[in-house]
Amino acid sequence: MDFSLPADLVAYLGELDRFIEREIKPLEEADDNIRFFDHRREWARTDFENGGLPRHEWEALLRKAKDLADAAGHLRFPVPKQYGGKDGSNLWMAVIREHFAAKGLGLHNDLQNEHSIVGNFPVVTMLDRYGRDDQKAMIDGSIRGKYRITFGLTEPHHGSDATHMETRAVPATRDSVKGWIVNGEKMWTTGMHVATHCALFARTSGNDGDARGITCFLVPAKSPGVKVEEYMWTFNMPTDHPRVSFTDVFVPEDALFGEVGRGLSLAQCFVHQNRIRQAASSLGAAVYCINESVKYARERKPFGKALAENQAIQFPLVELATQAEMLRLLIRKTAWEMDQLTEEQIERTLSDRVSMCNYWANRLCCESADRAMQVHGGMGYSRHRPFEHIYRHHRRYRITEGSEEIQMRKVAGFLFGYMGPGKH
């Protein structure tokens, strides 16, 4: 069995590195843009006087980097070829995202907001697999920034348990137009401050706890009755995570996204790709912390002796490096298997391993960043090194990205037999 990376993937990593040095690094260093990545990063990114939202200059810089990557043919790498992409696989995306995160903070890839010069487009996958032709026509615009579709699944009182959501949609007719009236509330609807639409999940039939009976609608963000109630200030700022209310919001029938009552299929499509790629990014960030710690320990000589000679420094890093090597194999194997299966097959037979990758990568990254802060001493604690930023971001992932406990519960479901093949 050959575990080496394909030669064309290795070559593409080199091509990406050259593009970063040629076009992205100069942009990062121009006009004091480095303020978004050095010790000033949180203040530079956050408009504290405007609800803690991302500053316009920060988001404009990210868009400029994306446009450069799109012009060079990299941004759409995972997108199907008919939309200008390269049909990039989950395996290739996992390798690329680990590679980028292992470089550290930079305009090429920012883990706090999923920005990357090789884009992660789960909404594009949703549109391609479940959208009508008129909805698929939104794909190019969503990549270029013309459309911003947020994800309205989580609710204030139900968190990761989507099957007990309280948002309801009932059939209705207004001005002779058939459609639905939606009432409810959503949390963590990331990006609503610039959204054009919300992929809103609501129960249209069935009982609380049923997987069937939940339907997805593409709701225009400016529809009457859609209101951002507040932006939640978070562990790491800026925030674009609001609580949004939907009060008697009317949407016509053509707002339907996917099949009536089968909306959770769209949600699973979104989270599986997101979680395996996010796991790869977490692994890359952990590797960065480990490598920087080893480098510093070899250079730093307190009391005339290199830190690297102390087993109290060596052994914790040995353990973290070993975990990273094992996790890399699991992530790449899982990503490769995902490429062989349909979304329904992934949910039935592989989602436990996606969850394993996700929760363990987040945990490993937090532990590696924490260890890096300890190895670097006072400078590790300061914001002049990126470790606190990495720690806070991935600690947030452990809490919010499906939550570590939810991921472990899915693994337990497969392990103890109440989920998995034959249970759907």
Side-chain angles (χ1 to χ4, degrees), residues 165-174 177-184 200-206 213-217 219 246-253 255-256 260-261:
M165 67 175 58
E166 297 177 25
T167 301
R168 295 291 188 268
V170 296
T173 300
R174 280 191 182 176
V177 177
K178 290 184 177 182
W180 304 76
I181 290 180
V182 184
N183 282 278
L200 179 66
F201 295 83
R203 183 164 291 284
T204 53
S205 64
I214 293 172
T215 302
C216 187
F217 301 91
V219 179
F246 299 82
T247 305
D248 294 331
V249 177
F250 177 78
V251 291
E253 285 187 327
L256 181 65
V260 174

Side-chain angles (χ1 to χ4, degrees), residues 23-326:
E23 299 198 42
I24 301 301
K25 281 293 183 183
L27 178 60
E28 180 183 299
E29 295 165 359
D31 302 320
D32 197 31
N33 287 332
I34 199 65
R35 70 189 186 277
F36 296 112
F37 304 99
D38 65 16
H39 61 281
R40 301 167 291 173
R41 53 188 168 264
E42 190 165 54
W43 187 265
R45 296 178 181 196
T46 308
D47 190 345
F48 290 103
E49 304 304 319
N50 187 28
L53 286 168
R55 292 189 190 275
H56 172 73
E57 297 86 351
W58 168 230
E59 294 193 312
L61 178 64
L62 298 180
R63 184 69 254 171
K64 190 170 184 179
K66 285 184 173 73
D67 290 343
L68 287 173
D70 202 12
H74 300 309
L75 183 68
R76 305 184 189 216
F77 173 80
V79 175
K81 290 181 179 179
Q82 63 261 40
Y83 308 117
K86 298 181 179 179
D87 284 325
S89 68
N90 283 300
L91 173 60
W92 278 49
M93 281 294 289
V95 173
I96 290 169
R97 286 174 71 83
E98 179 194 339
H99 180 73
F100 279 176
K103 288 176 173 291
L105 298 185
L107 188 54
H108 66 287
N109 191 75
D110 192 85
L111 300 179
Q112 186 178 4
N113 54 18
E114 287 295 320
H115 161 78
S116 179
I117 61 167
V118 175
N120 185 33
F121 299 112
V123 170
V124 168
T125 304
M126 290 167 62
L127 289 169
D128 180 46
R129 293 183 181 177
Y130 298 98
R132 302 184 308 271
D133 287 343
D134 60 311
Q135 292 169 335
K136 291 179 181 180
M138 300 173 69
I139 288 177
D140 182 71
S142 67
I143 296 171
R144 292 187 294 105
K146 177 181 178 182
Y147 300 114
R148 174 66 184 269
I149 301 173
T150 63
F151 194 66
L153 181 65
T154 302
E155 295 191 350
H157 300 297
H158 299 286
S160 297
D161 181 11
T163 63
H164 283 81
M165 67 175 58
E166 297 177 25
T167 301
R168 295 291 188 268
V170 296
T173 300
R174 280 191 182 176
D175 300 324
S176 301
V177 177
K178 290 184 177 182
W180 304 76
I181 290 180
V182 184
N183 282 278
E185 198 170 41
K186 297 294 180 179
M187 286 284 287
W188 314 116
T189 319
T190 305
M192 278 298 288
H193 67 298
V194 291
T196 58
H197 298 77
C198 176
L200 179 66
F201 295 83
R203 183 164 291 284
T204 53
S205 64
N207 301 312
D208 289 344
D210 291 346
R212 294 289 181 94
I214 293 172
T215 302
C216 187
F217 301 91
L218 274 183
V219 179
K222 302 301 183 183
S223 298
V226 178
K227 180 183 179 183
V228 173
E229 298 289 348
E230 62 179 327
Y231 283 94
M232 311 304 296
W233 285 45
T234 55
F235 197 41
N236 50 347
M237 295 289 282
T239 180
D240 57 353
H241 313 300
R243 177 170 60 88
V244 184
S245 63
F246 299 82
T247 305
D248 294 331
V249 177
F250 177 78
V251 291
E253 285 187 327
D254 63 6
L256 181 65
F257 190 11
E259 296 181 41
V260 174
R262 299 292 298 273
L264 285 186
S265 295
L266 281 77
Q268 292 294 347
C269 171
F270 184 98
V271 300
H272 282 144
Q273 284 197 5
N274 243 20
R275 287 176 181 165
I276 192 65
R277 295 172 185 179
Q278 187 259 308
S281 292
S282 295
L283 170 61
V287 169
Y288 171 81
C289 293
I290 295 167
N291 290 343
E292 288 296 300
S293 297
V294 171
K295 178 182 176 182
Y296 183 82
R298 297 178 70 177
E299 295 173 350
R300 182 75 166 174
K301 296 181 179 180
F303 309 107
K305 179 182 177 182
L307 279 176
E309 295 181 27
N310 298 319
Q311 290 181 344
I313 297 293
Q314 295 173 357
F315 286 8
L317 292 173
V318 166
E319 290 185 10
L320 294 171
T322 302
Q323 291 180 43
E325 287 294 329
M326 292 189 292

